[in-house]
Amino acid sequence: NAGVTQTPKFRILKIGQSMTLQCAQDMNHNYMYWYRQDPGMGLKLIYYSVGAGITDKGEVPNGYNVSRSTTEDFPLRLELAAPSQTSVYFCASSYLTEGTEAFFGQGTRLTVV
Amino acid sequence: QKEVEQNSGPLSVPEGAIASLNCTYSDRGSQSFFWYRQYSGKSPELIMFIYSNGDKEDGRFTAQLNKASQYVSLLIRDSQPSDSATYLCASSGTGGFKTIFGAGTRLFVKA
């Protein structure tokens, strides 16, 4: 059972470069989320999706974009990478939003230099 | 700004003791509350969730919720070294889409 799979695990970007963080889940979950976690901090919601074709902003969406063309995939796009985007990024999914378990991917550690 | 606040710790307890982790939240509309455990370098995993005032027990873990005081806690009985991790408290409001996480409390259980 793969669960939530994120790629890549690690990436170093130069300032101004762009990249896409991939996220896929095989649990047929409707809800998917992208979080970032800075050192010693909790998780900040970047974007979320309640189903294919539907996305919305979280707490810290600036500098990011998402799309949800299928139930399984929820990629996160970074345009014009900045040092402030150095963080660990987690993708998560859940069947429902309230009171049900969110399953997290293993994370992507991104460094922007 | 809706917030969830936790003492960052570290909280150090001896093996076999009770560890008490606390959390307060600012959004009175919050409906659901979660405790996640995160080992260093790993992703969070759900330990417990609670909706209603009072206590909810699951094995060695007890979650407590007091909505009037906007306070959530997690008790870990018979603490083990394997419980050493960061514990994240989270809340979600009506609709639950925007779950807010606290910064986490680091727990060390000394053998």
Side-chain angles (χ1 to χ4, degrees):
Chain A
N1 223 0
V4 180
T5 302
Q6 288 183 240
T7 55
K9 288 189 173 67
F10 304 94
R11 183 72 186 268
I12 297 174
L13 277 183
K14 292 184 178 179
I15 294 171
Q17 287 185 320
S18 300
M19 76 164 293
T20 299
L21 281 66
Q22 301 292 344
C23 176
Q25 54 93 5
D26 63 358
M27 296 173 283
N28 202 32
H29 287 167
N30 286 325
Y31 299 89
M32 295 188 75
Y33 317 85
W34 274 106
Y35 292 93
R36 60 177 287 173
Q37 186 175 35
D38 298 329
M41 304 295 287
L43 300 166
K44 298 289 186 185
L45 183 64
I46 304 171
Y47 271 95
Y48 66 95
S49 170
V50 302
I54 306 170
T55 62
D56 205 351
K57 296 177 181 179
E59 300 172 81
V60 289
N62 292 342
Y64 307 94
N65 277 301
V66 294
S67 60
R68 183 98 181 269
S69 57
T70 66
T71 299
E72 293 78 19
D73 299 301
F74 190 40
L76 177 72
R77 177 81 177 164
L78 277 72
E79 304 283 2
L80 298 175
S84 60
Q85 293 178 305
T86 294
S87 190
V88 179
Y89 292 83
F90 288 103
C91 178
S93 73
S94 64
Y95 178 60
L96 297 172
T97 58
E98 294 192 35
T100 58
E101 183 171 2
F103 293 84
F104 284 82
Q106 72 270 40
T108 296
R109 186 174 296 274
L110 175 67
T111 302
V112 181
V113 296
Chain B
Q1 181 83 3
K2 297 172 184 176
E3 293 181 344
V4 173
E5 295 191 358
Q6 298 180 252
N7 187 326
S8 62
L11 173 65
S12 184
V13 300
E15 184 175 0
I18 296 175
S20 178
L21 305 165
N22 305 313
C23 167
T24 58
Y25 60 95
S26 63
D27 181 11
R28 285 198 172 273
S30 296
Q31 301 288 322
S32 306
F33 304 88
F34 309 87
W35 284 101
Y36 286 84
R37 177 176 63 200
Q38 186 176 25
Y39 292 113
S40 181
K42 302 295 185 183
S43 56
E45 55 180 340
L46 183 71
I47 298 176
M48 294 194 70
F49 61 87
I50 187 168
Y51 304 135
S52 305
N53 277 328
D55 296 358
K56 180 181 179 183
E57 186 174 320
D58 184 1
R60 296 188 295 113
F61 298 96
T62 299
Q64 299 175 317
L65 173 61
N66 183 326
K67 289 187 177 180
S69 300
Q70 296 177 245
Y71 179 88
V72 191
S73 66
L74 179 70
L75 300 178
I76 306 174
R77 290 182 299 282
D78 187 24
S79 295
Q80 301 297 308
S82 58
D83 294 326
S84 297
T86 296
Y87 289 80
L88 302 171
C89 174
S91 71
S92 66
T94 304
F97 299 141
K98 295 184 181 181
T99 300
I100 306 296
F101 283 81
T105 298
R106 285 179 296 151
L107 172 67
F108 290 110
V109 180
K110 298 175 292 185

